[in-house]
Amino acid sequence: GENVEQHPSTLSVQEGDSAVIKCTYSDSASNYFPWYKQELGKRPQLIIDIRSNVGEKKDQRIAVTLNKTAKHFSLHITETQPEDSAVYFCAASNPLLFGNEKLTFGTGTRLTIIP
Amino acid sequence: DSGVTQTPKHLITATGQRVTLRCSPRSGDLSVYWYQQSLDQGLQFLIQYYNGEERAKGNILERFSAQQFPDLHSELNLSSLELGDSALYFCASSGNTGGGTDTQYFGPGTRLTVL
């Protein structure tokens, strides 16, 4: 089955600087890669996702890049703000394959923005 | 608010007991997924139902079972509870309309504490 590795496990950046979180996946058939943000005790919230037919997607200060050949994808947050502090999870799935839509999550990155 | 609801919010029970967690998906979503989040295991996929039928199974214990009813709400039953079952249990839903439109939206979770 799919295996997703995520690095780093913790990340501290100064407010205003950029943060980058990286994930690798094992199943070359995976074609959907969402990123979720989770605040303490709350539900995971989708912040951005990318599908395998594109290499990059951007939404304001957040961007995701995908390298299918190397089987890795990254989350980039620019101009970080205190409210970006949370745990971020990457995930992978193959929603076009019947019975394979489940998300396999990375282990999470605790991002702390230092004011 | 994702549109996915879960009850109860908190559940405290004793070892050996049985509990039922309930989830109502977003209006129109046919798929329901259950995930377990514990401190040392991250977010783990348990089981998926699609339009009333089991679609995929993860590392779900035999003591755990689930079902999806005709109105599409789902219940996760946990029996013979052990201390290690203490965790956050999330339900997510998606449309599964095909064509890659399968974003999963998470409910607020049920925090289970087994004493």
Side-chain angles (χ1 to χ4, degrees):
Chain A
E2 176 66 278
N3 182 50
V4 177
E5 293 190 358
Q6 182 172 349
H7 300 280
S9 57
T10 61
L11 180 61
S12 294
V13 301
Q14 290 290 137
E15 183 178 352
D17 287 350
S18 296
V20 180
I21 302 170
K22 299 182 179 182
C23 289
T24 59
Y25 61 99
S26 61
D27 188 353
S28 56
S30 289
N31 53 30
Y32 174 61
F33 307 93
W35 286 88
Y36 286 85
K37 174 183 179 182
Q38 187 179 30
E39 296 175 1
L40 190 61
K42 301 282 183 68
R43 64 184 174 92
Q45 286 187 277
L46 180 73
I47 56 171
I48 196 167
D49 57 12
I50 192 167
R51 300 178 197 278
S52 60
N53 56 345
V54 298
E56 185 173 356
K57 184 176 177 180
K58 192 172 179 182
D59 182 4
Q60 299 182 358
R61 298 186 297 108
I62 294 173
V64 57
T65 58
L66 171 65
N67 183 327
K68 283 218 75 179
T69 303
K71 290 191 282 189
H72 67 69
F73 57 112
S74 301
L75 177 71
H76 304 253
I77 306 174
T78 59
E79 300 171 15
T80 53
Q81 301 167 3
E83 52 266 35
D84 294 330
S85 293
V87 178
Y88 291 80
F89 290 94
C90 62
S93 76
N94 183 358
L96 298 180
L97 181 64
F98 182 88
N100 209 30
E101 304 96 337
K102 65 181 185 296
L103 292 172
T104 301
F105 283 90
T107 49
T109 296
R110 181 174 301 280
L111 175 63
T112 302
I113 307 302
I114 305 165
Chain B
D1 186 1
S2 65
V4 180
T5 61
Q6 288 186 248
T7 56
K9 210 170 186 177
H10 302 279
L11 204 46
I12 301 174
T13 189
T15 54
Q17 296 297 304
R18 172 189 168 95
V19 296
T20 298
L21 282 52
R22 183 188 168 105
C23 167
S24 291
R26 295 188 318 152
S27 177
D29 281 358
L30 300 177
S31 258
V32 168
Y33 310 78
W34 286 97
Y35 293 90
Q36 180 191 55
Q37 186 175 37
S38 54
L39 280 174
D40 57 346
Q41 293 292 321
L43 274 159
Q44 300 286 324
F45 168 73
L46 295 177
I47 197 164
Q48 177 197 359
Y49 278 82
Y50 174 78
N51 203 20
E53 295 191 4
E54 183 183 303
R55 179 116 142 179
K57 226 171 184 175
N59 295 326
I60 187 168
L61 299 171
E62 285 192 14
R63 302 183 284 109
F64 295 2
S65 64
Q67 53 184 330
Q68 186 179 28
F69 294 86
D71 67 352
L72 300 178
H73 91 271
S74 177
E75 293 181 357
L76 179 67
N77 301 296
L78 315 176
S79 62
S80 303
L81 285 168
E82 301 174 0
L83 296 177
D85 298 328
S86 296
L88 261 174
Y89 291 84
F90 287 104
C91 163
S93 75
S94 72
N96 280 128
T97 56
T101 55
D102 300 294
T103 299
Q104 291 185 30
Y105 296 92
F106 281 73
T110 293
R111 181 174 292 281
L112 173 66
T113 303
V114 182
L115 301 175

